[in-house]
Amino acid sequence: MSEHRRKPPQPQGGGRASSRRAAPQRPGRGAEAGRDVPTASPSGPYADPPPQGGRTQPRRAAQRGSAGRGRGAGAPGRGAGRPDKRLINYPRSDKQGWKRFLPSWKLVGGTVLGFFAVIVAGAGIGIAMVNKPDPNKAAEAQNNVFLWADGSQMVATGGSMNRQIVGIDQIPLSMQNAVIAAENESFETDKGVDPMGIARAVWNMAKGGSTQGGSTITQQYVKNNFLGSEQTLKRKVTELFIAINLGISEDKDVVLAGYLNTAYYGRDAYGIQAAARAYFGKDARDLNPSESAFLASVLKGPNLYNPDGGIGAAATPELNETRARKRWSWVLDREVEVGRMSKEERSKYKDADFPARIESAQARGMNGQIGYLVETAKQYVMKTKDITAEQMALGGYRIKTTFQKPKVDALTKAVEDTRDDFLDEKKRPELDTFVQFGAASVDVKTGAIVALYGGPGWDKKYFSNNANTSGVPVGSTWKPYVLAAAMQYGTQNSKGKGISVDSKYMADDRTVIKNRQGRPLLDKNGEPFRQKNESPTAFGYVTLNEAMEKSINVPFAQLVFDVGHTKVREVARSTGILDESMDKGDNASFALGTSTPSAIRMADSYATFAASGTHREPFSVTEVIKDGQTLSGFEAPEDQRAMDSAVADNVTKVLENVVQNGTGVKVKKLGRPAAGKTGTTDQNKSAWFVGYTPELSTSVTLFRTDPNSKDKKLISMNGVGGTDSIHGGDIPAVIWTEYMREALKGTPAKDFPEAEDIGVEADSAGAPSPTPSAAPSPSSSPSPSPSASSSPSPSPTPSKGGKPSCKPWDWELYCDPNAPSGGAGNGGAGNGGAANGGTTGGGTTGGGMIGGADGGASTGPSPSNSGRPGRPGGVTGGWPTGEPGS
């Protein structure tokens, strides 16, 4: 029988009537005609036969099915196929299971179209609501006013060059071509925006990164008009709408002129006309293709491409010059590549034709030290508040500095008087030229920079700040950090206890230096490395106090291995020395001053010793007002515990002895308690004196370099001033004393805190064993008698041999023929050995010595036997990466 003729199974009990009642019912009246919608009834053609129950049970079942269909129409989970009257059929009522949550193509398509409709409508409204940039407003600039510490005005800078707007007809075609080729090749055809650039910026901000500028000339023009605005997503969206508006409605010449009139070119110059005057002393219309390519190069970023230099270690004048030259050449090549310059025209400009620039107008009104003071304070403000050079150039800031005019004048006079008496460039042009001076003075109690000497002055075309310079090794002024680390952390010979300054170390010239495992360091020839002293005197074993007094190299070259280079770096870092200025080599010369901190950092670091181990970051600004509002963040930096106070006070006691009896003896003429250290480097390339009283800490450096050279290499000072060599105890000590005498005039003399005895005597390997008897052996005790020097005693009296302490240029006030040589123990190199602060020598090969530099170093500070403040020592957290006040 065919399927369609087959009869359903007959239910048992109830007969034909019962079977008819149990059969599928037609849709009720509520169902839509023509819709094949299954009912919600559990019965059906192939359902199991209902149980026996007479006539009423099938009828009730049919009624329940009809009622269920009426109630369940369109309800989720109550059966598929029912009509859905919702606006959006999701989850889908005509599907079952997981398919109910799979959107239909109609839903997806409608959503996408709706989204784009909203975006288009929103963009249209946004574009209609935003205003076009006004280049005249963007070009306006105000003065920045700088004040002395007492509130009187130092100088007002900026604002005078940034107001001239020129039309496109005043901008030469060479400048237009250079900028379009370098910045936005498709400028003349694009609609003002770069979709891919926008996507990258949005994605970067969505990830929490910094906002990114527009990549087209139109977007950059818009960005220039928001320099004073916050870097937010709202501002970026506004910029985007304005750029689209300009791309649709504005002529390209207007946009290009607007961009060139509002861009920042460095030298406080906004706009092409100001830039042409600032760099070349001519109007924009007179620029030639080479000069145009230069200005287009500077637009890449004035801080890194202005040959005058910028902010940060990577923005030195020499590095900026190199970048600018490469960019200039690339711009010219790029113009040829995109068809905006012929090859014949390009061939006219060789590397030697890099355009010469006039003197920076920023030097106007910046006579003497004013330029260096302003630049130091400006960099501090920019770093503290994350202000760009462009924003700072717009002006409107009122900046109160920490600089005290009487002290600045006193420091300038001390340097210039000494320089004039010391140097004679006409008489000794091959020796006395290019000698540079730098100095900085810091308030011990606060860390405020009260004075600095940066050089001859901006008005003398010297723009490098010698007070904040880098690359000048500090020589033996580094030795106090080695000693402090040994007193704080101990050595491998002290069993975890800080050592005493009475610990004895071999000091003979050309002594072999050993690593922590007791094996000799090797020089570049594979031979045992022998450290050179300044003097060939056979000192024998001396105390660390005596080694510092005479600035003997050998004991500290060995001590740095016994305490560990890492510990020395920790101590130096805790006093404010920056990591980037520290020599990275774990060699003997590290202890002798191959690191290159600035004069500002050295003065501030030594102030930590003067303040009994409390460090204060140096700062140069106390208040900044912008638009009538006082900006936050310019409070004095908080104190930080750098080291145990007893350690710092013992370092001070040792450095007082340097002044009273050692290489810094000329400082005794100050006539009040003072402590300090001399420093001289390999081949006499630099000389330092860093010292302090309880009130002021000051550093003075002397070095020689040609400021116009490309590499700025240091030159030996041997023969300068008619002397064989210059030491830290000579010229730098004289300048230091003369300045401090004037700076502290009227201030009552004050003693340093009394230094308690700390540490244990832990002699170096090979030192004579201490006698168990309470009475010291006469042969091992330093004898004040001159007769002691005639015997080979391990600890002879200070030698007065070597170079005479009275130089031809010395004033009678400072000349002491009976004083030890001012340079004893500083500088010199031999056998490839590391000199005091030398940048070359065998000490550098020690970095690969057997056993390494550290390992097994004590982790605990020197034990405390008193309850003095600050006894819990150690390093306090991290330090900033940039120069303060820079």
Side-chain angles (χ1 to χ4, degrees):
M1 180 182 294
S2 64
E3 182 66 23
H4 69 278
R5 292 177 60 87
R6 182 178 301 159
K7 294 182 180 180
Q10 297 295 321
Q12 298 179 5
R16 294 181 177 178
S18 177
S19 176
R20 281 196 303 270
R21 296 187 192 102
Q25 302 295 313
R26 294 176 60 190
R29 294 182 179 179
E32 298 180 17
R35 292 286 301 273
D36 185 16
V37 182
T39 67
S41 172
S43 60
Y46 302 104
D48 292 336
Q52 298 179 5
R55 297 181 179 179
T56 59
Q57 188 167 344
R59 186 165 55 248
R60 291 172 184 155
Q63 292 173 349
R64 284 195 300 268
S66 176
R69 287 192 298 270
R71 290 189 302 266
R78 298 296 299 272
R82 299 296 299 164
D84 196 315
K85 297 182 180 180
R86 293 177 297 170
L87 179 63
I88 299 176
N89 183 23
Y90 190 84
R92 299 172 65 181
S93 63
D94 56 338
K95 299 293 183 180
Q96 294 183 348
W98 62 270
K99 292 183 179 181
R100 295 176 60 243
F101 299 96
L102 185 66
S104 66
W105 68 268
K106 292 181 180 180
L107 178 60
V108 173
T111 302
V112 171
L113 289 175
F115 175 77
F116 276 104
V118 171
I119 292 295
V120 171
I125 295 172
I127 293 172
M129 292 179 64
V130 297
N131 297 318
K132 298 177 183 179
D134 183 353
N136 291 282
K137 291 182 179 180
E140 291 180 359
Q142 305 174 58
N143 285 329
N144 286 321
V145 179
F146 292 83
L147 309 175
W148 292 103
D150 63 4
S152 60
Q153 182 169 315
M154 178 192 302
V155 70
T157 67
S160 61
M161 296 170 26
N162 305 310
R163 301 181 185 273
Q164 290 180 286
I165 302 299
V166 295
I168 194 68
D169 59 322
Q170 298 293 308
I171 301 174
L173 186 60
S174 65
M175 186 66 200
Q176 299 177 43
N177 286 334
V179 171
I180 293 174
E183 302 281 343
N184 184 190
E185 176 189 352
S186 64
F187 168 71
E188 294 178 335
T189 58
D190 65 37
K191 298 302 180 183
V193 295
D194 176 10
M196 292 304 297
I198 295 171
R200 286 192 301 269
V202 172
W203 175 248
N204 188 65
M205 288 185 291
K207 293 189 300 181
S210 61
T211 58
Q212 299 180 2
S215 58
T216 68
I217 286 176
T218 306
Q219 288 175 272
Q220 292 181 64
Y221 171 36
V222 174
K223 179 178 71 68
N224 290 343
N225 288 269
F226 285 87
L227 286 173
S229 303
E230 293 183 283
Q231 296 290 317
T232 62
L233 181 60
K234 177 182 178 181
R235 201 215 71 184
K236 290 299 298 180
V237 172
T238 303
E239 284 183 10
L240 174 62
F241 286 156
I242 296 175
I244 295 174
N245 190 348
L246 290 176
I248 295 172
S249 63
E250 201 66 86
D251 185 83
K252 289 292 185 179
D253 283 348
V254 174
V255 174
L256 182 59
Y259 170 58
L260 294 176
N261 277 317
T262 57
Y264 181 64
Y265 297 79
R267 288 195 172 187
D268 279 352
Y270 274 91
I272 184 62
Q273 174 66 12
R277 301 298 306 175
Y279 286 100
F280 304 115
K282 61 174 64 175
D283 291 330
R285 63 188 176 188
D286 298 325
L287 292 171
N288 62 42
S290 176
E291 294 165 342
S292 295
F294 170 82
L295 293 180
S297 301
V298 173
L299 286 176
K300 177 72 172 177
N303 190 61
L304 295 177
Y305 289 86
N306 176 6
D308 298 340
I311 298 172
T316 62
E318 51 271 21
L319 292 177
N320 281 18
E321 173 102 8
T322 299
R323 277 189 289 264
R325 285 177 175 271
K326 290 181 179 179
R327 180 75 176 176
W328 168 79
S329 180
W330 177 85
V331 170
L332 292 172
D333 291 339
R334 179 67 175 165
E335 289 187 70
V336 175
E337 182 180 341
V338 301
R340 291 184 175 272
M341 177 181 284
S342 67
K343 292 183 179 179
E344 292 74 20
E345 179 72 13
R346 173 66 180 91
S347 65
K348 296 178 182 179
Y349 307 108
K350 308 297 183 183
D351 290 344
D353 299 318
F354 187 69
R357 298 158 314 276
I358 65 172
E359 177 186 349
S360 173
Q362 289 176 299
R364 298 173 186 170
M366 298 286 192
N367 298 333
Q369 299 305 302
I370 299 298
Y372 309 118
L373 299 175
V374 166
E375 194 65 17
T376 299
K378 186 166 68 173
Q379 291 184 10
Y380 185 82
V381 171
M382 292 166 65
K383 178 182 177 182
T384 301
K385 299 302 292 184
D386 195 24
I387 298 172
T388 66
E390 292 87 340
Q391 289 171 315
M392 180 61 70
L394 283 175
Y397 294 91
R398 186 175 179 86
I399 301 169
K400 186 177 182 181
T401 72
T402 60
F403 304 124
Q404 299 178 20
K405 190 176 188 303
K407 289 183 171 61
V408 172
D409 292 343
L411 184 56
T412 301
K413 186 176 187 302
V415 171
E416 293 182 350
D417 286 352
T418 305
R419 181 183 62 198
D420 293 343
D421 286 349
F422 171 54
L423 301 177
D424 191 337
E425 295 185 19
K426 294 182 179 179
K427 183 179 180 180
R428 295 179 294 270
E430 73 285 358
L431 295 173
D432 287 5
T433 55
F434 307 138
V435 178
Q436 309 295 339
F437 297 79
S441 188
V442 172
D443 188 309
V444 168
K445 296 181 177 61
T446 65
I449 306 171
V450 297
L452 57 79
Y453 183 88
W458 284 16
D459 55 318
K460 302 295 180 55
K461 300 182 180 181
Y462 191 87
F463 296 98
S464 296
N465 185 354
N466 291 343
N468 198 30
T469 189
S470 59
V472 181
V474 295
S476 288
T477 59
W478 193 260
K479 290 174 181 175
Y481 304 121
V482 183
L483 178 62
M487 289 194 290
Q488 181 82 20
Y489 297 107
T491 67
Q492 60 181 7
N493 303 319
S494 68
K495 299 180 180 179
K497 298 180 179 179
I499 70 171
S500 164
V501 295
D502 294 325
S503 301
K504 297 181 179 64
Y505 271 71
M506 170 54 70
D508 286 349
D509 186 40
R510 298 176 59 80
T511 295
V512 173
I513 305 301
K514 299 179 180 179
N515 63 16
R516 294 183 68 85
Q517 288 69 41
R519 291 189 285 271
L521 303 184
L522 301 179
D523 63 18
K524 59 183 179 181
N525 298 319
E527 299 294 326
F529 167 66
R530 297 178 180 274
Q531 178 60 54
K532 189 78 171 63
N533 289 330
E534 170 79 1
S535 168
T537 302
F539 293 105
Y541 283 89
V542 302
T543 65
L544 293 175
N545 185 52
E546 184 178 354
M548 188 73 75
E549 172 191 314
K550 299 182 175 68
S551 199
I552 309 173
N553 290 337
V554 168
F556 292 97
Q558 183 60 60
L559 181 61
V560 74
F561 285 95
D562 291 350
V563 68
H565 291 71
T566 299
K567 297 301 182 185
V568 176
R569 288 190 179 92
E570 287 181 7
V571 166
R573 186 183 301 112
S574 73
T575 66
I577 301 298
L578 302 179
D579 284 329
E580 55 264 31
S581 68
M582 294 191 210
D583 185 354
K584 303 302 187 292
D586 289 343
N587 45 53
S589 61
F590 173 76
L592 309 179
T594 50
S595 297
T596 59
S598 68
I600 291 175
R601 279 289 168 180
M602 288 301 291
D604 178 71
S605 176
Y606 268 47
T608 304
F609 298 131
S612 297
T614 297
H615 175 250
R616 299 170 176 91
E617 274 290 286
F619 65 102
S620 57
V621 174
T622 59
E623 183 182 69
V624 177
I625 298 175
K626 180 71 163 67
D627 298 329
Q629 299 294 320
T630 300
L631 305 185
S632 62
F634 294 99
E635 304 80 12
E638 295 183 359
D639 299 347
Q640 299 286 340
R641 171 56 55 183
M643 66 184 70
D644 191 300
S645 59
V647 169
D649 292 342
N650 270 271
V651 171
T652 294
K653 183 177 180 181
V654 171
L655 298 186
E656 280 189 282
N657 185 54
V658 170
V659 169
Q660 292 298 315
N661 306 301
T663 58
V665 69
K666 291 181 180 178
V667 173
K668 287 174 63 175
K669 302 299 182 181
L670 180 63
R672 63 169 67 215
K677 184 68 187 75
T678 58
T680 310
T681 58
D682 187 19
Q683 300 178 26
N684 205 204
K685 291 181 178 179
S686 65
W688 289 73
F689 185 80
V690 186
Y692 52 91
T693 66
E695 300 83 14
L696 284 180
S697 178
T698 302
S699 64
V700 178
T701 181
L702 189 69
F703 58 96
R704 190 179 179 211
T705 184
D706 181 356
N708 299 315
S709 64
K710 292 183 179 181
D711 51 20
K712 302 294 190 299
K713 286 185 177 179
L714 297 179
I715 307 171
S716 174
M717 292 189 292
N718 289 334
V720 168
T723 62
D724 292 338
S725 60
I726 306 299
H727 297 90
D730 296 328
I731 295 293
V734 169
I735 293 173
W736 187 95
T737 305
E738 190 70 8
Y739 160 69
M740 293 290 278
R741 182 197 304 278
E742 186 66 25
L744 295 172
K745 183 180 293 185
T747 302
K750 182 180 179 181
D751 291 327
F752 290 107
E754 187 71 22
E756 62 182 83
D757 293 334
I758 62 170
V760 298
E761 291 188 29
D763 301 336
S764 66
S769 301
T771 304
S773 172
S777 172
S779 62
S780 62
S781 299
S783 173
S785 172
S787 61
S789 61
S790 62
S791 62
S793 170
S795 302
T797 56
S799 170
K800 293 182 173 56
K803 301 177 180 61
S805 59
C806 292
K807 307 298 181 183
W809 49 266
D810 272 342
W811 301 317
E812 183 178 355
L813 175 65
Y814 295 104
C815 184
D816 185 0
N818 297 318
S821 171
N826 288 283
N831 190 31
N836 179 4
T839 55
T840 60
T844 56
T845 64
M849 65 287 177
I850 301 173
D854 291 311
S858 168
T859 58
S862 57
S864 171
N865 295 319
S866 74
R868 296 188 60 193
R871 292 295 301 173
V875 180
T876 59
W879 300 100
T881 58
E883 293 280 356
S886 60

